[in-house]
Amino acid sequence: MLKLAAYQESRWVGWTALIFVGTYLATATQMASLAPTLQDRVGLKTSLSATPAMTFLLGSFEHPETVASSVSWRIGLFMAAALSVLAALTVVRHTRAEEEAGRLELLAAGQLGRAAGLAAALIAALTLVLVVAMASSVTLIGHGANPSQSIGHGVALAVPALVSLSVAAVAAQLTATARAAKSIVITFVLVAYVLRGVSDLRGQSAIGALNPFGWYEAVDPFGELHLWPLWLSIAVATVLTLSACLVAFRRDLGAGLFAIGAGRPNSRHLIGPITLVARLGWRSLLGWAVVIAVTGVFVGSLIPDLGDFAETTPEFTQILQSLGGAGMIQDSFVSVMAEVFGVAAACWAVSQVGTWRAEESTGRLEAVLATRVSRSQMLLALAGFIFTGVLIMQLSAGLATGLSAGELPDSLLAQLVRVPPAWLLAAFALLMVAWRPAWFALAWLLILVSVIFGIYGDLLGIPRSLRGISVFQHVPNVPVESISWAPLIAMGAISVGLVLLSLVLLERRDVPTVVGAGILRSPVQALRAMRRKNNEGAS
């Protein structure tokens, strides 16, 4: 089971480590330009980091001595939360998802222990945590961190992830579906992150002492290093893992500790593919919209104070102008944050497309298509829900930012012009699922390339000829620039065209897809398949 998990996760671990390392390097480059001297970083601490919103989002800025310590404050908590979610999803993917699909039951019919799958999943997730945490921390050595501080930062990143992956192990035993298990662990990470922010704002150390993200801050790698949070997280993870093993031995294979209800025999609301897709995805949309709206409130609260901060830190203005274009400091900040919210909406849209793969691999989609519901109806329902969800998320971001900043028209328009790029990325993901489901990861790769080549292209010194690859580069930087309708209409039209092409391609492949099948089969492969089929018929 461990070899199987290693085969499935080897590329995933490598790409994740590469993304984390790239994020740290880009942030370090940005921080070195924003605050190259100690005096600049002290000014950064006393100005921007002193606002309640930044304290809630990023934590307290305690160590401005080096660029590495500043980077740790700037993105450390975010990266720890992201690593926690990824580790937890790895556990769910190798336990509850495999069990729900029936593959684990097939393996369990042989000489396989009941806890073998869970043990392999935990080891795979732990490997992901260790590789990513150490790779990310090594990048800080070249920016002022000594080896002990780098190791301490890696320990801090791993502390909340250890707790999260053990929570995922328990959630996989409690629920009967991978969707429910993922919801539990993501909710756990979000609630813990918010409670950590409340603890930092109000100085309530008791909340931080009971919070894995509070333990992250307690490690303090750039101050007085403490290792007790590591031992505490290992102890909590051990207890939760043993609890998950006990439940695994006592429950039926394929079922959770909490049984799924039979449901209503009839429903007035579940009347077609559109309501089915909405029923499956509305909780995810609501959660993302709420998080984006809350973040927008904090972002908007920063806008009135940006003028004073720009006077004390001129480099901050230069960074914003390189990201969002030349213009007033407030307008540049609104433009940059609109791009960030647009990326978040695109990530939600692509993740929703990924649910098609899950429904298809588990056989539920095939059961739906056995009724009068056609493939085109299901795909159009999913596309309509995703496009509407992106619009709702951008509206929530624009309203929250604009109302809290007192600049509603500019903020709302800046968010709405980022809707077509998210639609285009979602349509590309639909095309991959309809054409070749194994290529769905290319949609995530396109988002990554668009962010690196577009948003961070100037900071990383990427030539302008290559920055056009990013879909975000073709959007006007509202409110810095006046709105241009041509690229927005073009991206919307391309999105519709990709959806229509997806309908055609989906009709030309099997559902569920078969390994080796698809419209890209070469003539030689097709001839061999025909010969095998003829030989089987003759025998």
Side-chain angles (χ1 to χ4, degrees):
M1 291 298 294
L2 186 57
K3 289 182 179 180
L4 177 61
Y7 174 77
Q8 294 175 329
E9 295 294 327
S10 57
R11 295 182 180 178
W12 173 252
V13 172
W15 279 108
T16 304
L18 182 61
I19 293 172
F20 270 66
V21 168
T23 304
Y24 270 91
L25 289 176
T27 307
T29 303
Q30 178 184 5
M31 188 60 67
S33 301
L34 173 64
T37 65
L38 177 60
Q39 182 180 359
D40 295 331
R41 292 189 291 272
V42 172
L44 186 69
K45 174 182 177 181
T46 57
S47 55
L48 186 60
S49 64
T51 61
M54 297 303 289
T55 302
F56 181 88
L57 291 175
L58 307 179
S60 301
F61 192 9
E62 300 293 342
H63 304 289
E65 293 83 7
T66 62
V67 172
S69 59
S70 303
V71 171
S72 178
W73 163 76
R74 177 63 182 84
I75 62 171
L77 275 169
F78 277 132
M79 303 310 285
L83 183 58
S84 299
V85 172
L86 293 176
L89 295 182
T90 300
V91 175
V92 174
R93 185 164 57 250
H94 288 281
T95 53
R96 175 51 61 183
E98 293 294 314
E99 193 169 344
E100 184 180 5
R103 291 185 289 265
L104 189 59
E105 184 176 7
L106 180 63
L107 295 174
Q111 294 179 346
L112 182 66
R114 192 64 182 269
L118 178 61
L122 291 172
I123 294 174
L126 183 61
T127 302
L128 171 69
V129 171
L130 295 179
V131 171
V132 172
M134 290 298 102
S136 302
S137 300
V138 166
T139 61
L140 299 178
I141 294 180
H143 298 278
N146 57 47
S148 63
Q149 291 174 338
S150 176
I151 294 175
H153 181 74
V155 170
L157 283 179
V159 163
L162 291 175
V163 179
S164 298
L165 65 88
S166 60
V167 170
V170 175
Q173 310 305 318
L174 297 179
T175 63
T177 62
R179 188 191 302 270
K182 293 176 183 178
S183 300
I184 290 175
V185 296
I186 293 175
T187 302
F188 168 78
V189 173
L190 289 177
V191 171
Y193 196 96
V194 170
L195 291 178
R196 190 275 320 156
V198 173
S199 174
D200 288 345
L201 284 177
R202 299 187 177 182
Q204 297 179 354
S205 57
I207 298 179
L210 299 175
N211 192 317
F213 291 101
W215 303 344
Y216 166 90
E217 295 179 323
V219 174
D220 196 15
F222 296 95
E224 185 178 355
L225 181 63
H226 300 103
L227 293 180
W228 65 263
L230 176 63
W231 312 130
L232 183 58
S233 63
I234 292 176
V236 172
T238 302
V239 172
L240 292 176
T241 300
L242 292 176
S243 302
C245 290
L246 291 176
V247 176
F249 282 114
R250 292 177 176 270
R251 67 175 178 84
D252 292 333
L253 188 64
L257 190 62
F258 300 137
I260 300 178
R264 298 179 180 179
N266 298 304
S267 175
R268 295 180 302 171
H269 306 290
L270 197 61
I271 56 177
I274 296 178
T275 55
L276 174 61
V277 171
R279 174 68 176 82
L280 295 175
W282 74 268
R283 291 182 178 87
S284 173
L285 174 59
L286 178 62
W288 279 70
V290 169
V291 171
I292 284 180
V294 172
T295 307
V297 171
F298 286 110
V299 168
S301 66
L302 298 174
I303 294 177
D305 300 327
L306 288 178
D308 297 335
F309 176 70
E311 293 179 358
T312 59
T313 313
E315 293 84 358
F316 180 69
T317 305
Q318 298 176 5
I319 295 294
L320 284 180
Q321 289 178 351
S322 67
L323 293 173
M328 297 180 60
I329 181 67
Q330 289 87 355
D331 292 344
S332 296
F333 185 72
V334 169
S335 177
V336 170
M337 295 311 301
E339 288 184 342
V340 173
F341 287 128
V343 172
C347 290
W348 173 84
V350 174
S351 68
Q352 286 300 302
V353 177
T355 61
W356 177 285
R357 290 195 66 195
E359 296 296 317
E360 183 175 353
S361 61
T362 55
R364 291 189 291 264
L365 179 62
E366 188 177 9
V368 173
L369 296 180
T371 64
R372 290 180 296 177
V373 177
S374 65
R375 302 182 183 192
S376 59
Q377 288 177 325
M378 284 299 301
L379 192 64
L380 287 175
L382 180 61
F385 175 75
I386 291 173
F387 284 16
T388 304
V390 168
L391 182 60
I392 291 174
M393 292 174 66
Q394 294 300 94
L395 283 174
S396 65
L399 291 173
T401 304
L403 292 176
S404 59
E407 299 180 358
L408 182 60
D410 289 343
S411 298
L412 191 59
L413 186 60
Q415 300 295 336
L416 290 179
V417 297
R418 268 74 185 186
V419 169
W423 283 354
L424 182 57
L425 292 170
F428 179 77
L430 285 171
L431 178 65
M432 292 297 101
V433 167
W435 187 7
R436 195 81 166 181
W439 292 3
F440 172 70
L442 292 178
W444 289 110
L445 181 60
L446 182 58
I447 291 180
L448 177 63
V449 170
S450 297
V451 171
I452 294 177
F453 281 56
I455 298 178
Y456 292 105
D458 193 34
L459 290 175
L460 298 178
I462 297 176
R464 291 190 174 273
S465 58
L466 296 178
R467 294 178 61 183
I469 299 175
S470 171
V471 296
F472 301 106
Q473 282 296 107
H474 305 283
V475 177
N477 286 323
V478 179
V480 177
E481 303 173 354
S482 60
I483 189 170
S484 176
W485 294 104
L488 303 179
I489 295 174
M491 281 189 282
I494 294 174
S495 301
V496 174
L498 291 179
V499 172
L500 296 178
L501 181 59
S502 301
L503 296 177
V504 176
L505 295 176
L506 184 60
E507 294 291 341
R508 300 180 62 184
R509 72 168 178 87
D510 294 332
V511 176
T513 185
V514 179
V515 177
I519 65 172
L520 289 183
R521 177 181 294 176
S522 67
V524 176
Q525 291 174 327
L527 182 59
R528 290 175 180 173
M530 292 176 61
R531 287 177 178 175
R532 286 196 301 267
K533 196 170 184 180
N534 292 334
N535 293 335
E536 291 174 359
S539 61

